[in-house]
Amino acid sequence: MNKKEVAEIKRRFKKESCTIQRMCGCYVDADKNKLLSFSQNFLNLEDEEFYKFLEIASKGLSGTLGNNLLDLEFPVEEENVGGRQQILMALRSSKLEDENLLEAYYDLIIDSYDFVGNYLITLYYDVYDVPMKGTDELAMDESDEAYEYLLCCICPVALSKPGLGYLKDENRIGARIRDWVVGATDTAFLFPAFNGRATDIHSTLVYTKNAKEPHEEFWENGLGCKGKRTTTQKRNAFENMVVQTLGPDDEKTEDALLDVQQNLNDFILLEEEKVEKDEPIILEPETVSEILMDSGVPEPKAAKITDSYESFFQDTLPDAKELLDAKAIKNNEVRVEKKQLQEKVVDLTKKLEDAGVITKEGDEIDVIVKVRPDKVEEITTAFVDGKRCLVIPMEEDEEARINGESTSF
């Protein structure tokens, strides 16, 4: 699914356009016991609950594609009788009204979802009449497909923080009662996927709040899909390859990482001029080697990093943009500016030394000067009233501006 398709479905989770027909759920404790199951007509919920459950659903389609949101495909065997895709197909066909099927699916999630603590499982059923779009991308009233789908969200449930509060019945300030509070969606999936603005029963869109450590065990055992690495995982893996090879305690490693990121960014900018918008720029091992060498990484170490890269991404090479660290690029800009400023300070210091204003030993003098960069070359010294002063040529407009003002050096 692309951004527009995700946004189109996510708009269903607003009060004015919501058509969710049914919602079911199961509350599970830390010992994997089902404490509560519920099922109800979604549109009959009280407003406060309605908006809170919509918020949970909306969170299940949030974040960045390729990082928080990933398209996963079902293996052929999962689409056969007894397969996990077939279970989802049955749930969808039942419109979440088959209690036995629901309890069986809750058990499947509980057995495959690795989580320490209590959590809530929610399942939503909806049918979306997909409006046709003209060549101008504007939606028309006609609909040529009914997109029937399920959305499953898993949310942690934790005790509220201890604190003081007003105890109305006792008319005093005391320890407030701690409640079990449902947190933001941690893991979710949309089935079937909405690819090409149409039903794709062979795929599902999964969501993970934590892109560093997603619940891949649930993707593989609960959904039956082969997991994918998030953008964060890919970027961190590449950075670790460089750090471990160059030496994590080497002071030059940080600078080398910034150089690699800057050269990677330059490569992407050049390639973007050659490809269509949003087309991936596959980062070949040979290009990785060139970027490393251009960043000052010694050839033997560059070869070792390239071998690690090729081995780690042997199944699918990443899009170069997935390995780009925006924070590192900003840090490199600061580093370059700092280096340029240091060079200017050294240059100005030398000119002041040559002019005799300061000594090479750094002796202090009681002369305060504001120097225009374009006047540095013309600075000379002279004695005025027995004091050594700087003589800086001025333009006529500068003389007029300070005429009458008391200027001391």
Side-chain angles (χ1 to χ4, degrees), residues 142-197:
E142 296 88 351
S143 173
D144 61 353
E145 177 171 349
Y147 172 55
E148 185 182 9
Y149 66 93
L150 302 175
L151 177 67
C152 176
C153 298
I154 305 175
C155 308
V157 179
L159 275 172
S160 58
K161 293 181 180 180
L164 297 175
Y166 174 60
L167 307 180
K168 185 177 180 180
D169 293 341
E170 302 176 36
N171 193 32
R172 71 181 182 88
I173 300 298
R176 63 184 177 87
I177 298 175
R178 299 180 67 188
D179 299 319
W180 288 96
V181 180
V182 178
T185 304
D186 175 76
T187 299
F189 69 86
L190 177 74
F191 173 82
F194 188 58
N195 289 324
R197 301 187 69 243

Short mmCIF file of all heavy atoms in Angstrom, two decimals, residues 142-197:
data_model
loop_
_atom_site.label_atom_id
_atom_site.label_comp_id
_atom_site.label_asym_id
_atom_site.label_seq_id
_atom_site.Cartn_x
_atom_site.Cartn_y
_atom_site.Cartn_z
N GLU A 142 -19.93 7.18 -7.97
CA GLU A 142 -20.05 5.76 -8.29
C GLU A 142 -19.00 4.93 -7.54
O GLU A 142 -17.90 5.38 -7.28
CB GLU A 142 -19.88 5.53 -9.80
CG GLU A 142 -20.97 6.17 -10.65
CD GLU A 142 -20.65 7.60 -11.02
OE1 GLU A 142 -19.67 8.14 -10.47
OE2 GLU A 142 -21.38 8.19 -11.83
N SER A 143 -19.38 3.70 -7.20
CA SER A 143 -18.47 2.77 -6.55
C SER A 143 -18.46 1.47 -7.32
O SER A 143 -19.52 0.95 -7.68
CB SER A 143 -18.90 2.52 -5.10
OG SER A 143 -18.12 1.50 -4.52
N ASP A 144 -17.27 0.96 -7.60
CA ASP A 144 -17.19 -0.29 -8.35
C ASP A 144 -16.63 -1.42 -7.50
O ASP A 144 -16.38 -2.52 -8.00
CB ASP A 144 -16.35 -0.10 -9.61
CG ASP A 144 -14.92 0.31 -9.29
OD1 ASP A 144 -14.64 0.59 -8.11
OD2 ASP A 144 -14.10 0.37 -10.22
N GLU A 145 -16.41 -1.18 -6.20
CA GLU A 145 -15.91 -2.24 -5.32
C GLU A 145 -16.28 -1.97 -3.88
O GLU A 145 -16.29 -0.83 -3.41
CB GLU A 145 -14.40 -2.38 -5.43
CG GLU A 145 -13.85 -3.43 -4.48
CD GLU A 145 -12.38 -3.74 -4.69
OE1 GLU A 145 -11.83 -3.31 -5.71
OE2 GLU A 145 -11.80 -4.43 -3.84
N ALA A 146 -16.60 -3.03 -3.16
CA ALA A 146 -16.84 -2.95 -1.73
C ALA A 146 -15.62 -3.59 -1.04
O ALA A 146 -15.39 -4.81 -1.18
CB ALA A 146 -18.11 -3.68 -1.35
N TYR A 147 -14.85 -2.78 -0.34
CA TYR A 147 -13.65 -3.28 0.35
C TYR A 147 -14.06 -3.72 1.76
O TYR A 147 -14.33 -2.90 2.63
CB TYR A 147 -12.59 -2.18 0.38
CG TYR A 147 -11.38 -2.50 1.22
CD1 TYR A 147 -10.62 -3.65 1.00
CD2 TYR A 147 -10.96 -1.63 2.24
CE1 TYR A 147 -9.50 -3.93 1.75
CE2 TYR A 147 -9.84 -1.90 3.01
CZ TYR A 147 -9.11 -3.05 2.76
OH TYR A 147 -8.01 -3.33 3.52
N GLU A 148 -14.12 -5.01 1.96
CA GLU A 148 -14.52 -5.60 3.24
C GLU A 148 -13.25 -6.00 3.99
O GLU A 148 -12.46 -6.79 3.49
CB GLU A 148 -15.41 -6.83 2.98
CG GLU A 148 -15.98 -7.46 4.22
CD GLU A 148 -16.80 -8.71 3.88
OE1 GLU A 148 -16.76 -9.15 2.70
OE2 GLU A 148 -17.46 -9.25 4.78
N TYR A 149 -13.06 -5.45 5.18
CA TYR A 149 -11.77 -5.67 5.84
C TYR A 149 -11.89 -5.79 7.36
O TYR A 149 -12.90 -5.43 7.97
CB TYR A 149 -10.81 -4.52 5.51
CG TYR A 149 -11.21 -3.17 6.06
CD1 TYR A 149 -10.75 -2.73 7.29
CD2 TYR A 149 -12.07 -2.33 5.35
CE1 TYR A 149 -11.11 -1.49 7.80
CE2 TYR A 149 -12.44 -1.09 5.85
CZ TYR A 149 -11.96 -0.68 7.07
OH TYR A 149 -12.34 0.54 7.59
N LEU A 150 -10.80 -6.29 7.95
CA LEU A 150 -10.64 -6.38 9.39
C LEU A 150 -9.44 -5.55 9.80
O LEU A 150 -8.45 -5.47 9.05
CB LEU A 150 -10.39 -7.83 9.83
CG LEU A 150 -11.42 -8.90 9.49
CD1 LEU A 150 -10.90 -10.27 9.90
CD2 LEU A 150 -12.74 -8.61 10.17
N LEU A 151 -9.51 -4.95 10.96
CA LEU A 151 -8.36 -4.27 11.55
C LEU A 151 -8.20 -4.81 12.96
O LEU A 151 -9.16 -4.78 13.75
CB LEU A 151 -8.56 -2.75 11.58
CG LEU A 151 -7.43 -1.96 12.26
CD1 LEU A 151 -6.14 -2.04 11.43
CD2 LEU A 151 -7.83 -0.50 12.46
N CYS A 152 -7.02 -5.32 13.26
CA CYS A 152 -6.73 -5.85 14.60
C CYS A 152 -5.67 -4.98 15.25
O CYS A 152 -4.63 -4.69 14.64
CB CYS A 152 -6.25 -7.29 14.50
SG CYS A 152 -5.77 -8.00 16.10
N CYS A 153 -5.93 -4.53 16.48
CA CYS A 153 -4.97 -3.71 17.22
C CYS A 153 -4.70 -4.36 18.58
O CYS A 153 -5.63 -4.83 19.24
CB CYS A 153 -5.52 -2.30 17.44
SG CYS A 153 -5.83 -1.37 15.93
N ILE A 154 -3.44 -4.35 18.97
CA ILE A 154 -3.04 -4.89 20.27
C ILE A 154 -2.42 -3.75 21.07
O ILE A 154 -1.44 -3.13 20.63
CB ILE A 154 -2.04 -6.05 20.12
CG1 ILE A 154 -2.62 -7.14 19.21
CG2 ILE A 154 -1.69 -6.64 21.48
CD1 ILE A 154 -1.66 -8.28 18.91
N CYS A 155 -2.99 -3.48 22.26
CA CYS A 155 -2.56 -2.34 23.07
C CYS A 155 -2.13 -2.80 24.46
O CYS A 155 -2.82 -3.62 25.09
CB CYS A 155 -3.69 -1.33 23.24
SG CYS A 155 -4.47 -0.79 21.71
N PRO A 156 -1.03 -2.30 24.98
CA PRO A 156 -0.63 -2.64 26.35
C PRO A 156 -1.61 -2.02 27.35
O PRO A 156 -2.18 -0.96 27.10
CB PRO A 156 0.76 -2.00 26.47
CG PRO A 156 0.75 -0.88 25.49
CD PRO A 156 -0.09 -1.35 24.34
N VAL A 157 -1.81 -2.70 28.45
CA VAL A 157 -2.66 -2.18 29.53
C VAL A 157 -1.81 -2.16 30.80
O VAL A 157 -1.31 -3.20 31.23
CB VAL A 157 -3.92 -3.05 29.74
CG1 VAL A 157 -4.76 -2.49 30.89
CG2 VAL A 157 -4.73 -3.12 28.45
N ALA A 158 -1.65 -0.99 31.40
CA ALA A 158 -0.78 -0.86 32.57
C ALA A 158 -1.46 -0.03 33.66
O ALA A 158 -2.38 0.75 33.39
CB ALA A 158 0.54 -0.21 32.17
N LEU A 159 -1.00 -0.21 34.88
CA LEU A 159 -1.53 0.57 35.99
C LEU A 159 -1.13 2.03 35.85
O LEU A 159 -0.01 2.35 35.45
CB LEU A 159 -0.98 0.03 37.32
CG LEU A 159 -1.74 -1.14 37.97
CD1 LEU A 159 -0.95 -1.67 39.16
CD2 LEU A 159 -3.14 -0.72 38.40
N SER A 160 -2.05 2.92 36.15
CA SER A 160 -1.74 4.35 36.13
C SER A 160 -0.71 4.64 37.22
O SER A 160 -0.58 3.89 38.19
CB SER A 160 -3.01 5.17 36.35
OG SER A 160 -3.62 4.82 37.59
N LYS A 161 0.01 5.73 37.07
CA LYS A 161 1.06 6.07 38.03
C LYS A 161 0.46 6.46 39.38
O LYS A 161 -0.61 7.06 39.44
CB LYS A 161 1.89 7.23 37.48
CG LYS A 161 2.70 6.87 36.24
CD LYS A 161 3.53 8.05 35.76
CE LYS A 161 4.34 7.68 34.53
NZ LYS A 161 5.15 8.82 34.05
N PRO A 162 1.17 6.10 40.46
CA PRO A 162 0.66 6.49 41.78
C PRO A 162 0.72 8.00 41.95
O PRO A 162 1.56 8.67 41.36
CB PRO A 162 1.61 5.77 42.74
CG PRO A 162 2.88 5.59 41.95
CD PRO A 162 2.43 5.36 40.54
N GLY A 163 -0.16 8.52 42.74
CA GLY A 163 -0.16 9.96 42.98
C GLY A 163 -1.22 10.34 43.99
O GLY A 163 -1.97 9.49 44.50
N LEU A 164 -1.29 11.63 44.30
CA LEU A 164 -2.28 12.14 45.24
C LEU A 164 -3.45 12.73 44.48
O LEU A 164 -3.30 13.20 43.35
CB LEU A 164 -1.65 13.22 46.14
CG LEU A 164 -0.52 12.76 47.06
CD1 LEU A 164 0.07 13.96 47.80
CD2 LEU A 164 -1.02 11.72 48.07
N GLY A 165 -4.61 12.71 45.09
CA GLY A 165 -5.79 13.28 44.46
C GLY A 165 -6.81 13.67 45.51
O GLY A 165 -6.66 13.39 46.71
N TYR A 166 -7.86 14.34 45.06
CA TYR A 166 -8.92 14.76 45.96
C TYR A 166 -9.93 13.63 46.13
O TYR A 166 -10.53 13.17 45.16
CB TYR A 166 -9.63 16.01 45.41
CG TYR A 166 -10.84 16.43 46.21
CD1 TYR A 166 -10.73 16.76 47.56
CD2 TYR A 166 -12.10 16.46 45.61
CE1 TYR A 166 -11.85 17.15 48.30
CE2 TYR A 166 -13.23 16.83 46.33
CZ TYR A 166 -13.11 17.17 47.68
OH TYR A 166 -14.22 17.54 48.41
N LEU A 167 -10.10 13.15 47.36
CA LEU A 167 -11.05 12.10 47.66
C LEU A 167 -12.35 12.75 48.09
O LEU A 167 -12.50 13.21 49.23
CB LEU A 167 -10.50 11.18 48.77
CG LEU A 167 -9.09 10.61 48.52
CD1 LEU A 167 -8.65 9.71 49.67
CD2 LEU A 167 -9.06 9.84 47.21
N LYS A 168 -13.29 12.82 47.13
CA LYS A 168 -14.52 13.58 47.34
C LYS A 168 -15.33 13.07 48.52
O LYS A 168 -15.83 13.85 49.35
CB LYS A 168 -15.36 13.54 46.07
CG LYS A 168 -16.60 14.40 46.13
CD LYS A 168 -17.34 14.36 44.81
CE LYS A 168 -18.60 15.24 44.87
NZ LYS A 168 -19.35 15.21 43.59
N ASP A 169 -15.49 11.74 48.64
CA ASP A 169 -16.31 11.17 49.70
C ASP A 169 -15.76 11.47 51.09
O ASP A 169 -16.52 11.61 52.06
CB ASP A 169 -16.43 9.65 49.53
CG ASP A 169 -17.22 9.28 48.27
OD1 ASP A 169 -17.95 10.16 47.77
OD2 ASP A 169 -17.08 8.14 47.79
N GLU A 170 -14.43 11.59 51.18
CA GLU A 170 -13.80 11.85 52.48
C GLU A 170 -13.40 13.31 52.63
O GLU A 170 -12.92 13.71 53.70
CB GLU A 170 -12.56 10.95 52.63
CG GLU A 170 -12.87 9.47 52.52
CD GLU A 170 -11.62 8.61 52.58
OE1 GLU A 170 -10.68 8.99 53.32
OE2 GLU A 170 -11.57 7.59 51.87
N ASN A 171 -13.57 14.09 51.53
CA ASN A 171 -13.23 15.52 51.54
C ASN A 171 -11.80 15.76 52.03
O ASN A 171 -11.54 16.56 52.92
CB ASN A 171 -14.22 16.31 52.40
CG ASN A 171 -14.08 17.82 52.16
OD1 ASN A 171 -13.75 18.25 51.04
ND2 ASN A 171 -14.31 18.61 53.19
N ARG A 172 -10.87 15.04 51.42
CA ARG A 172 -9.47 15.21 51.78
C ARG A 172 -8.57 14.84 50.62
O ARG A 172 -9.03 14.26 49.62
CB ARG A 172 -9.10 14.35 52.99
CG ARG A 172 -9.06 12.85 52.69
CD ARG A 172 -8.72 12.04 53.93
NE ARG A 172 -8.64 10.61 53.63
CZ ARG A 172 -7.52 10.00 53.21
NH1 ARG A 172 -6.40 10.69 53.04
NH2 ARG A 172 -7.53 8.70 52.95
N ILE A 173 -7.29 15.20 50.73
CA ILE A 173 -6.29 14.83 49.74
C ILE A 173 -5.64 13.52 50.19
O ILE A 173 -5.18 13.40 51.32
CB ILE A 173 -5.21 15.92 49.58
CG1 ILE A 173 -5.82 17.24 49.14
CG2 ILE A 173 -4.14 15.47 48.57
CD1 ILE A 173 -6.51 17.19 47.78
N GLY A 174 -5.63 12.54 49.29
CA GLY A 174 -5.04 11.26 49.65
C GLY A 174 -4.56 10.52 48.42
O GLY A 174 -4.63 11.03 47.29
N ALA A 175 -4.07 9.32 48.63
CA ALA A 175 -3.57 8.50 47.51
C ALA A 175 -4.74 8.13 46.61
O ALA A 175 -5.75 7.58 47.07
CB ALA A 175 -2.89 7.25 48.04
N ARG A 176 -4.63 8.46 45.33
CA ARG A 176 -5.72 8.18 44.42
C ARG A 176 -5.68 6.71 43.99
O ARG A 176 -4.64 6.06 44.04
CB ARG A 176 -5.65 9.09 43.17
CG ARG A 176 -4.44 8.93 42.31
CD ARG A 176 -4.48 9.96 41.18
NE ARG A 176 -3.30 9.92 40.33
CZ ARG A 176 -3.17 9.12 39.28
NH1 ARG A 176 -4.15 8.31 38.97
NH2 ARG A 176 -2.08 9.15 38.54
N ILE A 177 -6.84 6.24 43.59
CA ILE A 177 -6.94 4.84 43.17
C ILE A 177 -6.24 4.66 41.83
O ILE A 177 -6.43 5.42 40.88
CB ILE A 177 -8.43 4.44 43.04
CG1 ILE A 177 -9.13 4.56 44.38
CG2 ILE A 177 -8.56 3.01 42.49
CD1 ILE A 177 -10.62 4.31 44.32
N ARG A 178 -5.41 3.62 41.75
CA ARG A 178 -4.70 3.33 40.51
C ARG A 178 -5.56 2.43 39.63
O ARG A 178 -6.09 1.41 40.08
CB ARG A 178 -3.36 2.66 40.80
CG ARG A 178 -2.41 3.52 41.63
CD ARG A 178 -1.10 2.80 41.89
NE ARG A 178 -0.34 2.61 40.68
CZ ARG A 178 0.78 1.87 40.62
NH1 ARG A 178 1.22 1.25 41.70
NH2 ARG A 178 1.42 1.74 39.47
N ASP A 179 -5.70 2.84 38.36
CA ASP A 179 -6.54 2.10 37.42
C ASP A 179 -5.68 1.42 36.36
O ASP A 179 -4.56 1.83 36.08
CB ASP A 179 -7.52 3.05 36.72
CG ASP A 179 -8.46 3.74 37.69
OD1 ASP A 179 -8.92 3.06 38.62
OD2 ASP A 179 -8.71 4.95 37.52
N TRP A 180 -6.27 0.37 35.75
CA TRP A 180 -5.64 -0.25 34.60
C TRP A 180 -6.03 0.55 33.36
O TRP A 180 -7.20 0.62 33.02
CB TRP A 180 -6.08 -1.71 34.47
CG TRP A 180 -5.48 -2.58 35.53
CD1 TRP A 180 -6.05 -2.95 36.71
CD2 TRP A 180 -4.18 -3.17 35.51
NE1 TRP A 180 -5.19 -3.74 37.43
CE2 TRP A 180 -4.02 -3.90 36.72
CE3 TRP A 180 -3.12 -3.16 34.60
CZ2 TRP A 180 -2.87 -4.60 37.04
CZ3 TRP A 180 -1.97 -3.86 34.91
CH2 TRP A 180 -1.85 -4.57 36.11
N VAL A 181 -5.03 1.14 32.70
CA VAL A 181 -5.28 2.06 31.59
C VAL A 181 -4.78 1.45 30.27
O VAL A 181 -3.65 0.96 30.20
CB VAL A 181 -4.59 3.42 31.83
CG1 VAL A 181 -4.84 4.37 30.67
CG2 VAL A 181 -5.07 4.04 33.14
N VAL A 182 -5.61 1.53 29.25
CA VAL A 182 -5.23 1.04 27.92
C VAL A 182 -4.31 2.05 27.25
O VAL A 182 -4.66 3.24 27.13
CB VAL A 182 -6.48 0.80 27.04
CG1 VAL A 182 -6.06 0.34 25.64
CG2 VAL A 182 -7.41 -0.21 27.69
N GLY A 183 -3.15 1.60 26.82
CA GLY A 183 -2.18 2.48 26.18
C GLY A 183 -2.35 2.54 24.66
O GLY A 183 -3.28 1.95 24.09
N ALA A 184 -1.43 3.24 24.01
CA ALA A 184 -1.48 3.39 22.55
C ALA A 184 -1.21 2.05 21.87
O ALA A 184 -0.53 1.17 22.42
CB ALA A 184 -0.45 4.42 22.09
N THR A 185 -1.72 1.89 20.67
CA THR A 185 -1.55 0.66 19.90
C THR A 185 -0.07 0.32 19.74
O THR A 185 0.73 1.16 19.33
CB THR A 185 -2.19 0.80 18.51
OG1 THR A 185 -3.57 1.16 18.67
CG2 THR A 185 -2.10 -0.49 17.73
N ASP A 186 0.29 -0.91 20.06
CA ASP A 186 1.68 -1.36 19.95
C ASP A 186 1.91 -2.12 18.65
O ASP A 186 2.92 -1.94 17.98
CB ASP A 186 2.01 -2.26 21.14
CG ASP A 186 3.40 -2.86 21.05
OD1 ASP A 186 4.37 -2.13 21.31
OD2 ASP A 186 3.52 -4.06 20.70
N THR A 187 0.96 -2.98 18.30
CA THR A 187 1.04 -3.81 17.09
C THR A 187 -0.35 -3.89 16.47
O THR A 187 -1.35 -3.94 17.19
CB THR A 187 1.55 -5.23 17.44
OG1 THR A 187 2.85 -5.13 18.02
CG2 THR A 187 1.61 -6.11 16.21
N ALA A 188 -0.40 -3.89 15.14
CA ALA A 188 -1.70 -3.98 14.46
C ALA A 188 -1.52 -4.56 13.06
O ALA A 188 -0.40 -4.62 12.55
CB ALA A 188 -2.35 -2.59 14.37
N PHE A 189 -2.65 -4.97 12.47
CA PHE A 189 -2.61 -5.38 11.07
C PHE A 189 -3.96 -5.13 10.41
O PHE A 189 -5.01 -5.18 11.06
CB PHE A 189 -2.18 -6.84 10.91
CG PHE A 189 -3.18 -7.85 11.40
CD1 PHE A 189 -4.21 -8.32 10.57
CD2 PHE A 189 -3.10 -8.37 12.69
CE1 PHE A 189 -5.13 -9.26 11.00
CE2 PHE A 189 -4.02 -9.31 13.14
CZ PHE A 189 -5.04 -9.76 12.29
N LEU A 190 -3.90 -4.83 9.13
CA LEU A 190 -5.09 -4.61 8.30
C LEU A 190 -5.18 -5.76 7.31
O LEU A 190 -4.22 -6.05 6.59
CB LEU A 190 -4.96 -3.28 7.54
CG LEU A 190 -6.07 -2.91 6.56
CD1 LEU A 190 -7.32 -2.48 7.32
CD2 LEU A 190 -5.60 -1.79 5.63
N PHE A 191 -6.33 -6.43 7.27
CA PHE A 191 -6.51 -7.55 6.34
C PHE A 191 -7.89 -7.45 5.69
O PHE A 191 -8.89 -7.25 6.37
CB PHE A 191 -6.40 -8.89 7.05
CG PHE A 191 -6.74 -10.05 6.15
CD1 PHE A 191 -5.79 -10.55 5.27
CD2 PHE A 191 -8.02 -10.61 6.15
CE1 PHE A 191 -6.11 -11.60 4.41
CE2 PHE A 191 -8.34 -11.66 5.31
CZ PHE A 191 -7.38 -12.15 4.43
N PRO A 192 -7.95 -7.65 4.37
CA PRO A 192 -6.85 -7.75 3.40
C PRO A 192 -6.19 -6.37 3.20
O PRO A 192 -6.72 -5.35 3.63
CB PRO A 192 -7.55 -8.20 2.12
CG PRO A 192 -8.94 -8.62 2.53
CD PRO A 192 -9.27 -7.80 3.73
N ALA A 193 -5.06 -6.36 2.50
CA ALA A 193 -4.42 -5.09 2.17
C ALA A 193 -5.27 -4.36 1.13
O ALA A 193 -6.08 -4.97 0.43
CB ALA A 193 -3.02 -5.33 1.63
N PHE A 194 -5.09 -3.07 1.05
CA PHE A 194 -5.84 -2.22 0.12
C PHE A 194 -4.88 -1.75 -0.97
O PHE A 194 -4.57 -0.58 -1.10
CB PHE A 194 -6.44 -1.04 0.90
CG PHE A 194 -7.39 -0.18 0.12
CD1 PHE A 194 -8.53 -0.71 -0.45
CD2 PHE A 194 -7.16 1.19 -0.02
CE1 PHE A 194 -9.42 0.11 -1.15
CE2 PHE A 194 -8.04 2.00 -0.71
CZ PHE A 194 -9.17 1.46 -1.28
N ASN A 195 -4.38 -2.69 -1.75
CA ASN A 195 -3.39 -2.38 -2.78
C ASN A 195 -4.06 -1.99 -4.09
O ASN A 195 -4.95 -2.68 -4.57
CB ASN A 195 -2.47 -3.58 -3.02
CG ASN A 195 -1.53 -3.82 -1.86
OD1 ASN A 195 -1.06 -2.88 -1.22
ND2 ASN A 195 -1.26 -5.08 -1.55
N GLY A 196 -3.61 -0.88 -4.67
CA GLY A 196 -4.21 -0.39 -5.90
C GLY A 196 -5.66 0.01 -5.70
O GLY A 196 -6.47 -0.10 -6.61
N ARG A 197 -5.97 0.42 -4.48
CA ARG A 197 -7.34 0.80 -4.08
C ARG A 197 -8.32 -0.36 -4.31
O ARG A 197 -9.48 -0.16 -4.65
CB ARG A 197 -7.83 2.06 -4.83
CG ARG A 197 -6.95 3.28 -4.61
CD ARG A 197 -7.55 4.54 -5.20
NE ARG A 197 -8.75 4.96 -4.48
CZ ARG A 197 -9.96 5.02 -5.03
NH1 ARG A 197 -10.14 4.66 -6.29
NH2 ARG A 197 -11.00 5.44 -4.33
#
